[in-house]
Amino acid sequence: MTAPDRLEGAVEVRVLAAHEWPLYRALRLRALADAPAAFGSTLAEEETRSDTDWAWRLNLGATSGRDLPLVARVASTAAGLAWAKVDASDPLRVNLFQVWVAPQARGLGVAGALLDAALAWARGRGARAMQLGVVCGNDAARRLYERAGFYAIGEPEPQRPGSARMEQMMRRDLGRYTALPTVV
């Protein structure tokens, strides 16, 4: 990647508002096109969604109180995405999904900033743990999560039904995490 293709500047993380569904859709589709092996969903599946579906999905996430759809910006450019959600069966656990950083923003701390914001939100809700799945072989993501205190739980399982690609669940105890930023 050449220097002009790189973003430079401070990382800003904020919650996506319901009306920003076109931005969410664009980032989600970019993520699935850029890193198809990293996600449980596929580009083909997501491309079939209507504008109404995208708007409903983000509206629900932005207003439910149980979801945290995040966008990261660098130099006023959308550079990353993450989605935290209170677990349906355990309100003391938050799951983290859809973490992605645009190629031109990698290495700038975007993933760490998204993770910190999600962890701060989870702790603020009184959650005791955060869980996520990382594709086996995605060493950069696994190192990020391990540095943040996540550890592997259980054995790797297929990422989706019928897939040979394996995913490792990871967990972070939130009782010991301190000094995280607040989400704007």
Side-chain angles (χ1 to χ4, degrees):
M1 187 174 298
T2 61
D5 293 333
R6 296 268 313 155
L7 292 174
E8 294 183 18
V11 177
E12 172 200 348
V13 174
R14 66 174 179 76
V15 178
L16 280 163
H19 72 274
E20 294 180 295
W21 66 265
L23 172 61
Y24 170 64
R25 176 187 60 200
L27 286 171
R28 182 71 175 139
L29 295 178
R30 271 184 71 198
L32 291 165
D34 174 61
F39 302 103
S41 183
T42 68
L43 180 60
E45 290 168 347
E46 297 290 324
E47 283 180 325
T48 65
R49 291 182 181 274
S50 69
D51 289 354
T52 302
D53 288 340
W54 286 102
W56 175 83
R57 185 182 200 183
L58 185 56
N59 181 59
L60 182 64
T63 62
S64 73
R66 298 179 57 80
D67 294 81
L68 183 71
L70 295 170
V71 62
R73 292 187 171 276
V74 176
S76 300
T77 300
L81 176 70
W83 194 298
K85 182 175 186 70
V86 175
D87 190 88
S89 63
D90 181 355
L92 296 179
R93 181 173 62 221
V94 169
N95 298 304
L96 186 64
F97 306 100
Q98 302 182 20
V99 179
W100 175 77
V101 176
Q104 69 271 26
R106 292 180 184 153
L108 301 177
V110 174
L114 287 163
L115 180 59
D116 286 348
L119 284 164
W121 178 78
R123 290 202 68 220
R125 293 187 53 78
R128 302 280 187 206
M130 180 177 279
Q131 282 188 190
L132 54 88
V134 64
V135 173
C136 296
N138 188 345
D139 296 334
R142 187 174 182 124
R143 283 191 303 272
L144 167 75
Y145 299 132
E146 287 173 342
R147 282 193 307 269
F150 285 81
Y151 55 91
I153 56 172
E155 295 298 318
E157 296 183 4
Q159 184 183 32
R160 43 178 101 90
S163 175
R165 196 169 24 251
M166 301 298 279
E167 182 176 68
Q168 176 65 59
M169 291 304 296
M170 298 184 80
R171 182 179 178 97
R172 170 68 166 97
D173 172 14
L174 299 181
R176 295 183 300 241
Y177 212 95
T178 59
L180 290 174
T182 57
V183 177
V184 182

